[in-house]
Amino acid sequence: MRVGVLVSGGDCPGLNAAVRGAVLHGVEVYGHDYLGYRDGWRGVAKNDSFILNRNRVRGIAPLGGTILGTSRFSPFGDEGPGIAGLKEIMKRDQLDGFLTIGGNGTQTVAQMLHEAGINAIGLPKTIDNDLEETDYSFGFDTAVHVATEAIDRLRTTGQSHKRCMVLEVMGRDAGWIALHAGIAAGAHVILLPEFAESLDQISEWVRHVHERGRASLVVVAEGFKFKGMSEGVTKGGDDGFGRARLGGIGEVLADKIEERTGIETRATILGHVQRGGVPTAFDRVLATRAGAAGADAVARGQWGTMVALRGTDTALVPLSAVAGKTKQVPLNRYDEARRMFG
Ligand code: F6P
């Protein structure tokens, strides 16, 4: 059996641990051949690959980024090979199937391949934690860790100046990073894409904190919308998968809070710091297990599936249940946090 491995979409901590887990199982346990493609589907289209073996994955689990590189190059885009081209490439490279490591866009592509008769198995990576059917995706825990530390730091400087501090975090249309980091660091207001709030309500929470002599900490997810807004704040352009690039709500919100409350307010946009650096132990373990489970699925011919985490166990779920969907924060999770705002 010969398997093509690639990472597609935005990177995240834990990718290398996943590749190592897959290769150690696939090559060492099953005796399969693993071929790594550089920069996602671009490497497949441009014939840019290298053999993955025990030596190539030595010591990489703690490393951030990805030894494979990634891109948002779509196999179905203008320069992509399309289904017919991919089938030719698979013959050329003698591949039985692909292990595709990615988030929403990547799993959707994997499902399209599966429907077209191309073998694919997905591994769930994304700091956004917005993949359906899995409790967690690797990368998320590290991003939450980074965001939590940032809020802790904003707390001390905010308190010195009696300012309101706003932190914008990533997550696209899901508020998981904001919710978890906000709870972990004891933020006073947590604003998510899933639940619009009015400026009046936000200002009231901020004022309430200020009246107690505290510096208010507001965490806002990049996809948050005020009540009445239909679109999130965007940077212009798209992300390569046809989705608008989000970002900038932190500054907008900080200006509005200051204007409305008269409390000096500063915004910090955490940005790609959330995606860089070494993965947490949790992400390394999850990614290693996901890689190994992916190699097991290859050996059993369980194509058309994605590795998921259910509780503490890995499981295989159909790609069709994941493709095109976004796992958002449910109301009960928001409500339990919202009760503590202000
Ligand atoms: O999906 C991961 C993510 O980091 C999102 O949270 C964010 O909106 C987006 O990718 C940023 O993408 P890029 O790296 O293209 O700026």
Side-chain angles (χ1 to χ4, degrees):
M1 188 93 82
R2 198 167 150 93
V3 186
V5 185
L6 59 94
V7 177
S8 182
D11 75 335
C12 74
L15 289 167
N16 288 324
V19 171
R20 176 175 168 274
V23 169
L24 290 189
H25 261 241
V27 176
E28 297 293 317
V29 177
Y30 295 110
H32 295 162
D33 293 325
Y34 274 60
L35 194 60
Y37 288 95
R38 292 193 179 87
D39 304 333
W41 292 107
R42 182 180 292 131
V44 178
K46 310 274 184 229
N47 195 10
D48 190 4
S49 64
F50 60 100
I51 293 290
L52 284 167
N53 54 28
R54 180 162 213 146
N55 234 7
R56 294 305 286 258
V57 300
R58 192 171 53 195
I60 65 171
L63 302 182
T66 155
I67 62 161
L68 292 176
T70 185
S71 70
R72 292 202 167 104
F73 184 100
S74 167
F76 306 116
D78 291 346
E79 291 178 64
I83 293 295
L86 278 176
K87 287 185 174 168
E88 283 307 309
I89 289 169
M90 287 181 77
K91 272 192 216 143
R92 177 196 74 198
D93 291 347
Q94 298 173 309
L95 293 181
D96 294 286
F98 290 100
L99 257 191
T100 63
I101 311 177
N104 270 329
T106 309
Q107 307 302 342
T108 303
V109 166
Q111 166 63 8
M112 288 160 78
L113 299 185
H114 178 64
E115 280 170 7
I118 294 178
N119 290 335
I121 291 169
L123 302 187
K125 73 96 181 96
T126 166
I127 64 163
D128 303 341
N129 198 38
D130 61 351
L131 279 166
E132 275 292 357
E133 300 292 323
T134 183
D135 291 345
Y136 291 105
S137 51
F138 54 84
F140 172 64
D141 186 64
T142 309
V144 169
H145 220 75
V146 171
T148 303
E149 196 199 333
I151 306 168
D152 290 345
R153 288 176 185 276
L154 291 175
R155 180 186 291 279
T156 63
T157 172
Q159 194 61 39
S160 307
H161 293 267
K162 311 288 178 291
R163 285 172 173 156
C164 167
M165 305 301 281
V166 173
L167 179 71
E168 177 184 314
V169 297
M170 285 182 165
R172 288 211 57 84
D173 302 316
W176 293 106
I177 299 174
L179 181 72
H180 280 231
I183 293 174
H188 301 104
V189 182
I190 305 169
L191 300 170
L192 311 183
E194 293 86 345
F195 306 101
E197 297 284 2
S198 68
L199 181 61
D200 283 347
Q201 174 63 81
I202 297 167
S203 304
E204 194 183 314
W205 282 320
V206 168
R207 256 193 233 106
H208 196 236
V209 176
H210 197 71
E211 280 158 13
R212 295 202 310 273
R214 306 287 308 280
S216 36
L217 291 167
V218 179
V219 184
V220 59
E222 62 183 2
F224 170 75
K225 297 180 269 303
F226 290 106
K227 269 194 176 145
M229 266 170 86
S230 56
E231 302 291 330
V233 178
T234 57
K235 291 186 165 128
D238 75 32
D239 70 351
F241 284 138
R243 302 172 304 190
R245 289 180 63 212
L246 295 168
I249 184 68
E251 295 277 4
V252 172
L253 178 64
D255 287 350
K256 285 188 188 294
I257 290 175
E258 182 163 313
E259 198 180 289
R260 182 63 68 95
T261 63
I263 298 166
E264 198 180 8
T265 304
R266 294 285 188 270
T268 301
I269 299 179
L270 200 52
H272 291 80
V273 172
Q274 292 158 99
R275 294 227 309 250
V278 299
T280 58
F282 181 91
D283 273 339
R284 293 183 209 183
V285 173
L286 177 57
T288 304
R289 294 179 72 203
D296 288 341
V298 166
R300 296 188 197 115
Q302 291 167 308
W303 306 106
T305 58
M306 183 189 82
V307 177
L309 185 72
R310 294 284 179 84
T312 55
D313 293 329
T314 56
L316 291 179
V317 297
L319 278 169
S320 57
V322 180
K325 298 190 181 141
T326 304
K327 181 184 72 182
Q328 291 193 300
V329 174
L331 182 59
N332 66 320
R333 289 294 312 274
Y334 183 56
D335 270 348
E336 70 188 16
R338 194 176 188 271
R339 285 198 287 267
M340 295 186 276
F341 290 1

